[in-house]
Amino acid sequence: MRNLKKLVLPSSGERITFDNGIPVVPNNPIVPFIRGDGTGVDIWPATQKVLDAAIKKSYGNERKINWFKVYAGDEACEVYGTYNYLPQDTVEAIKYFGIAIKGPLTTPVGGGIRSLNVALRQIFDLYSCVRPCKYYSGTPSPHKKPEDLDIVVYRENTEDIYMGIEWAAKDEIGINLINYLNNSVIPSSKNLNNRTIPSNCGIGIKPVSKKGSQRHIRKAIEHAKRLLGNKRHVTLVHKGNIMKFTEGAFRDWGYELAINEFRNDCITERESWILDNLNNCQNISIENNARLIEPGFDKLTEDKKDIICQEIKKVISTISESHGNNKWKKMILIDDRIADSIFQQIQTRPQEYSILATLNLNGDYLSDAAAAIVGGLGMAPGANIGDKAAIFEATHGTAPKHAGLNKINPGSVILSGVMMLEFFGWNEAAQLITNGISRSIKEKKVTYDLARLMEPKVEALSCSDFAKSIIDNF
Ligand code: NAP
């Protein structure tokens, strides 16, 4: 690690390393933390107390986090000077230690950084944003049965319309681009017929690559491998019916990855349907099997019939032995849903879903919608994960009007800490904290944001007292 100008390393502890994207965690890791702006002054100390207490109770002196204070946001400007929102020291420290946990950060005004959160994701290539949405009994929710929702949204973090490649309607470069598209590109693309982009349009580019999609979906499938029962399920969310070569390609590359890399662990929804409806009697022809599997088979064109027969033959020859006779039910089910349909289904049939792998924009919407069902952003944690680093963070902002009042809900950062402990494989400590949160909420010992929604109304705890109540309830 390069010389750090203003940071003080903890006196002991070791570094987390990564082996092919998998963290190798010592018993005494050094973990850089960014306190956060605004309410970070309240949330961070509460979070640190809860995490330390859970580790101590679970492992005694055998395991310990050595906290390493690093700076970003307003606090960084105080220490490193004006507009120094993300000092090189901080970047070096996170790069070297491979991990960080952070409170919320103010989006800088001036200084050339669009968003600190986006900058951190880009610098460390944290390509998967992971947002679990799980209900804690007693949390006020607008939903009738919020306990049925227990999902993890895997949102791709680096591509899609979020790359910010866009031009305003009046930008001359944008106008030139539209002219070029209208006069040259569209006329020579047969499938676009004679479409024309109207003048005075803002315009944005939506890049989606196979590499970017597959490395992200791989993380989602690896997560599903660690789950049990019908939670071993990854749904590819897309709007491929409209955006065939970006969103549709994301779906196709997802299936391709599942089949090529995870063949022994995965089955697609279509394959499971074929296996379940296959008549294995030797004397039933492929064509008769196709009649069982595909309703309306006889009305199809010969070409389509042939495609279906080939598909059935392939399933029989490749996976009927390994995945048939219900063996697939223990494997990871891969299916896909159109984005608008999944918004309905997490409301109407939430128990059917587990991991939702999405592109950037869909994941942004979907993770907040899912968080609302289970009680809002105050209880929604997040992590941004790549192959060489991971940053765990609050999903809400700095809520400046509540800063320093010891009032705000620390739940989001505490639960991000739970995700970090699970990432370490320190599941006992993680479980203690989720138990503590559940029991506190059941006892209606909560901060103002949840207290005001409870019926009948309850007295709110302060931020630090909520943390204490979680610890008392381990
Ligand atoms: P915000 O900070 O998320 O606050 C909006 C409202 O959400 C608060 O007034 C509060 O509502 C509620 N809230 C936020 N955090 C809460 C918590 N921990 N517990 C309970 N309720 C909470 O959004 P903002 O005011 O739009 O943004 C402020 C700054 O944060 C901006 O600079 C923004 O760019 C930045 N930001 C940072 C992140 C991040 O670092 N990940 C994310 C989003 C925004 P009530 O007052 O009604 O109780």
Side-chain angles (χ1 to χ4, degrees), residues 165-182 197-205:
I165 304 173
E166 53 177 1
W167 294 269
K170 288 188 177 155
D171 185 330
E172 206 173 318
I173 298 172
I175 294 169
N176 288 340
L177 179 61
I178 290 175
N179 287 339
Y180 176 58
L181 291 169
N182 280 341
I197 303 171
S199 52
N200 277 322
C201 273
I203 191 163
I205 306 269

Side-chain angles (χ1 to χ4, degrees), residues 1-2 15-17 91-99 124:
M1 185 173 42
R2 280 211 243 139
R15 184 186 165 199
I16 292 170
T17 52
V91 173
E92 290 296 331
I94 299 175
K95 194 183 286 170
Y96 185 76
F97 290 106
I99 200 128
F124 300 107

Side-chain angles (χ1 to χ4, degrees), residues 428-449:
E428 300 78 6
Q431 190 60 50
L432 273 189
I433 300 175
T434 47
N435 291 348
I437 291 179
S438 294
R439 291 188 191 124
S440 256
I441 294 175
K442 265 192 209 141
E443 291 170 3
K444 299 185 185 295
K445 291 183 175 164
V446 292
T447 44
Y448 82 97
D449 53 314

Side-chain angles (χ1 to χ4, degrees), residues 39 43 102-108 115 117 121 377-379 393-402 407-412 447-450 452:
T39 48
I43 290 171
K102 61 177 271 295
L105 292 172
T106 310
T107 301
S115 152
N117 297 312
R121 287 169 205 164
L377 288 181
M379 297 298 290
E393 66 174 6
T395 51
H396 54 73
T398 57
K401 70 177 174 187
H402 302 300
K407 173 182 176 189
I408 205 84
N409 185 352
S412 175
T447 44
Y448 82 97
D449 53 314
L450 301 180
R452 71 184 166 192

Side-chain angles (χ1 to χ4, degrees), residues 140-394:
S141 158
H143 209 264
K144 273 190 187 156
K145 292 177 81 183
E147 63 278 9
D148 285 350
L149 188 78
D150 180 6
I151 60 169
V152 184
V153 179
Y154 264 76
R155 166 188 171 193
E156 204 288 324
N157 240 349
T158 62
E159 300 189 341
D160 200 350
I161 204 75
Y162 275 65
M163 286 187 83
I165 304 173
E166 53 177 1
W167 294 269
K170 288 188 177 155
D171 185 330
E172 206 173 318
I173 298 172
I175 294 169
N176 288 340
L177 179 61
I178 290 175
N179 287 339
Y180 176 58
L181 291 169
N182 280 341
N183 300 331
S184 180
V185 177
I186 296 177
S188 54
S189 308
K190 275 192 201 130
N191 56 335
L192 297 182
N193 302 322
N194 50 0
R195 282 169 222 186
T196 308
I197 303 171
S199 52
N200 277 322
C201 273
I203 191 163
I205 306 269
K206 180 183 171 77
V208 175
S209 73
K210 178 171 178 174
K211 184 176 168 221
S213 300
Q214 289 195 335
R215 67 180 185 168
H216 168 67
I217 295 166
R218 185 177 294 114
K219 281 257 184 283
I221 297 178
E222 277 164 359
H223 188 141
K225 273 176 86 171
R226 301 193 291 271
L227 302 178
L228 299 171
N230 66 358
K231 285 289 164 195
R232 306 190 94 210
H233 178 187
V234 176
T235 302
L236 305 164
V237 176
H238 61 90
K239 191 72 187 161
N241 52 335
I242 306 296
M243 292 169 271
K244 296 184 195 309
F245 306 122
T246 50
E247 303 250 344
F250 176 81
R251 171 202 56 210
D252 296 345
W253 290 326
Y255 279 127
E256 185 190 295
L257 177 88
I259 287 172
N260 289 344
E261 267 187 40
F262 296 90
R263 184 67 285 183
N264 296 334
D265 298 297
C266 274
I267 186 151
T268 69
E269 191 176 39
R270 172 78 179 163
E271 288 170 338
S272 72
W273 169 258
I274 292 176
L275 283 179
D276 281 357
N277 288 283
L278 202 59
N279 189 320
N280 279 322
C281 294
Q282 297 292 327
N283 54 358
I284 288 208
S285 67
I286 293 284
E287 201 161 297
N288 276 338
N289 265 309
R291 285 191 181 90
L292 295 173
I293 286 159
E294 193 71 31
F297 178 80
D298 286 318
K299 290 188 192 139
L300 297 175
T301 61
E302 289 308 311
D303 280 0
K304 287 207 172 130
K305 281 183 185 169
D306 190 48
I307 290 172
I308 290 163
C309 288
Q310 292 303 331
E311 189 188 15
I312 293 168
K313 262 192 204 162
K314 193 170 172 204
V315 168
I316 293 173
S317 67
T318 55
I319 58 164
S320 67
E321 282 217 352
S322 54
H323 294 50
N325 282 330
N326 286 332
K327 281 185 230 159
W328 70 263
K329 290 194 171 149
K330 293 200 168 130
M331 296 176 182
I332 301 164
L333 179 68
I334 310 283
D335 58 10
D336 74 280
R337 294 289 179 271
I338 303 275
D340 37 68
S341 145
I342 200 74
F343 272 92
Q344 286 190 43
Q345 301 226 330
I346 60 166
Q347 309 268 355
T348 54
R349 296 150 69 171
Q351 64 279 39
E352 289 181 21
Y353 293 95
S354 173
I355 292 187
L356 306 181
T358 78
L359 281 166
N360 209 333
L361 180 62
N362 290 334
D364 194 2
Y365 296 153
L366 197 52
S367 49
D368 272 22
I373 294 176
V374 296
L377 288 181
M379 297 298 290
N384 294 292
I385 295 179
D387 288 331
K388 291 185 182 154
I391 299 184
F392 298 82
E393 66 174 6

